[in-house]
């Protein structure tokens, strides 16, 4: 049994069916006895699991907010001061039969002409365990001249209550396809934060940098367990952090694409795209990258579009 309701969405005969694991199975309309049994089998293994394959109709789809996601449309950092974050920059598209989250960001080299994209989970409830996402990074824009210091990310974060807040936590995959932050060319930053202060900016973090292209689909995994944070890209361990950089509090899960500055821009408007196929979290368990892919495949083969069985502040 689940200590809290768990949202699960499955497909039955091509139709969408939403159930709550805490409700009697008889309340799941449209399902035959065989289908109800299949739902029961899946929910019994879902406590502590968060999975979303981004099967949504668009940024205003009610199911998106029901699952806990917020599409950013408010101003502020990070990124170029004066740039906007537009809800229409978050969309969903079909590729190879799968639904894909798409973040689209555009700049003409001015703050007023710069539009960025972010999808954020609205609750900080993810702490120890395994985080993973399949992300497609792009080294060049889909239109316009190349060269902008665009940043493509998958990260977890706790809001900063005040400068040097000791309860702050942040874990980052940050890809710069056109240099930036001192990198000579393409670079992936793997960064874990203890805390920071806003003004003047001073970060207490540790970071590893891999200087090469990561264009294309990449499997990103971070394990948070027993005082260590381990970052993997395509099953390869690329960074390991610990000590005070180990997360001290629950975090949210986020994706965004923004511009560090305007220094590399030339010509007219340039548009960049970052895609995300799925996102996964298993609470309280260090899951090997190869096993993450197997489990995600199992969810998809079973017709599961999204699950949220994470228990805030607890364990199953």
């Amino acid at each position: 049994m689940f200590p809290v309701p768990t949202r699960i969405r499955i497909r039955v005969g091509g139709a969408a069916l939403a159930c709550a694991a805490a409700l009697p199975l008889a309340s799941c309309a449209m399902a035959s006895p065989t289908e109800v049994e299949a739902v029961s089998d899946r929910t019994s293994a879902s406590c502590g699991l968060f999975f979303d394959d981004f099967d949504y109709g668009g940024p205003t789809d009610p199911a998106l907010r029901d699952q806990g996601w917020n599409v950013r449309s408010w101003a502020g950092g990070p990124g170029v001061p004066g740039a906007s974050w537009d809800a229409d920059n978050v969309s969903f598209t079909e590729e190879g039969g799968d639904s894909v989250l798409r973040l689209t960001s555009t700049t003409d080299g001015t703050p007023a002409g710069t539009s960025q994209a972010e999808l954020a989970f609205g609750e900080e409830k993810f702490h120890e365990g395994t985080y993973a996402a399949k992300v497609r990074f792009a080294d060049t824009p889909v239109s316009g001249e190349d060269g902008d210091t665009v940043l493509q990310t998958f990260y977890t974060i706790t809001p900063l209550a005040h400068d040097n807040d000791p309860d702050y936590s942040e874990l980052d995959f940050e890809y710069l396809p056109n240099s930036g932050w001192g990198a000579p060319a393409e670079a992936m930053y793997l960064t874990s934060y203890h805390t920071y202060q806003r003004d003047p900016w001073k970060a207490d973090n540790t970071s590893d940098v891999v200087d090469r292209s990561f264009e294309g689909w990449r499997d990103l995994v971070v394990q948070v367990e027993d005082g260590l944070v381990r970052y993997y890209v395509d099953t390869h361990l690329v960074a390991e952090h610990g000590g005070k950089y180990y997360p001290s509090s629950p975090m949210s899960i986020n994706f965004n694409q923004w511009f560090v500055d305007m220094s590399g821009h030339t010509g007219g408007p340039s548009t960049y795209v970052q895609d995300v196929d799925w996102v996964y979290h298993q609470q309280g368990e260090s899951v090997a990258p190869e096993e993450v892919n197997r489990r995600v495949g199992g969810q998809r083969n079973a017709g599961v579009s999204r699950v949220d069985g994470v228990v805030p502040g607890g364990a199953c």
Side-chain angles (χ1 to χ4, degrees):
M1 296 297 293
F2 288 88
V4 296
T6 300
R7 294 188 297 278
I8 294 181
R9 186 176 178 86
I10 65 172
R11 291 197 174 276
V12 179
L17 168 64
C19 301
L23 297 177
L25 289 177
S27 68
C28 297
M30 298 171 57
S32 69
T34 301
E35 290 158 349
V36 168
E37 182 178 355
V39 173
S40 179
D41 289 343
R42 289 196 287 274
T43 59
S44 65
S46 298
C47 194
L49 169 66
F50 179 87
F51 168 71
D52 201 321
D53 74 350
F54 296 117
D55 183 14
Y56 299 103
T60 61
D61 187 340
L64 189 65
R65 181 168 290 276
D66 288 346
Q67 177 69 352
W69 295 106
N70 290 330
V71 178
R72 184 168 180 178
S73 59
W74 57 92
V80 177
S84 64
W85 298 83
D86 295 336
D88 289 342
N89 289 349
V90 175
S91 61
F92 301 90
T93 185
E94 290 291 325
E95 183 168 313
D98 294 327
S99 181
V100 173
L101 163 66
R102 175 157 292 175
L103 304 178
T104 301
S105 300
T106 300
T107 184
D108 65 0
T110 69
T114 298
S115 177
Q116 306 172 130
E118 178 174 291
L119 183 69
F121 199 82
E123 183 180 1
E124 293 81 34
K125 65 176 183 178
F126 306 95
H127 194 196
E128 294 182 309
T130 301
Y131 303 79
K134 190 177 188 70
V135 179
R136 179 160 57 191
F137 298 114
D139 284 352
T140 57
V142 293
S143 64
E145 296 294 325
D146 194 11
D148 296 285
T149 52
V150 65
L151 188 67
Q152 301 169 342
T153 78
F154 165 45
Y155 69 101
T156 66
I157 195 169
T158 305
L160 187 77
H162 53 79
D163 280 353
N164 301 310
D165 178 8
D167 293 326
Y168 180 79
S169 298
E170 181 178 348
L171 306 175
D172 299 334
F173 288 93
E174 296 176 306
Y175 182 55
L176 287 153
N178 287 322
S179 72
W181 293 344
E186 304 96 342
M188 175 78 79
Y189 283 75
L190 303 312
T191 305
S192 303
Y193 274 79
H194 173 53
T195 189
Y196 73 93
Q197 69 179 34
R198 293 185 180 91
D199 191 17
W201 172 262
K202 183 178 180 182
D204 187 354
N205 63 21
T206 185
S207 187
D208 287 83
V209 185
V210 182
D211 293 319
R212 72 171 181 85
S213 173
F214 284 90
E215 185 171 40
W217 285 110
R218 301 295 173 183
D219 292 329
L220 311 179
V221 175
V222 58
Q223 299 168 341
V224 180
E225 186 180 52
D226 296 334
L228 288 177
V229 179
R230 296 183 177 93
Y231 294 86
Y232 295 83
V233 179
D234 295 336
T235 75
H236 300 291
L237 180 66
V238 291
E240 184 175 285
H241 304 150
K244 66 179 179 179
Y245 304 110
Y246 190 79
S248 58
S249 57
M251 301 169 287
S252 63
I253 292 175
N254 309 269
F255 301 90
N256 63 20
Q257 183 180 229
W258 48 278
F259 298 95
V260 176
D261 54 41
M262 303 282 91
S263 62
H265 189 81
T266 58
S270 296
T271 298
Y272 296 81
V273 167
Q274 172 188 345
D275 290 338
V276 185
D277 192 11
W278 49 260
V279 63
Y280 168 97
H281 174 72
Q282 180 59 58
Q283 184 176 21
E285 182 184 356
S286 185
V287 183
E290 298 86 349
E291 176 66 9
V292 168
N293 278 306
R294 190 193 69 80
R295 293 186 186 184
V296 168
Q299 294 293 324
R300 286 183 147 177
N301 289 340
V304 178
S305 294
R306 62 196 71 111
V307 178
D308 185 357
V310 173
V311 183
C316 298

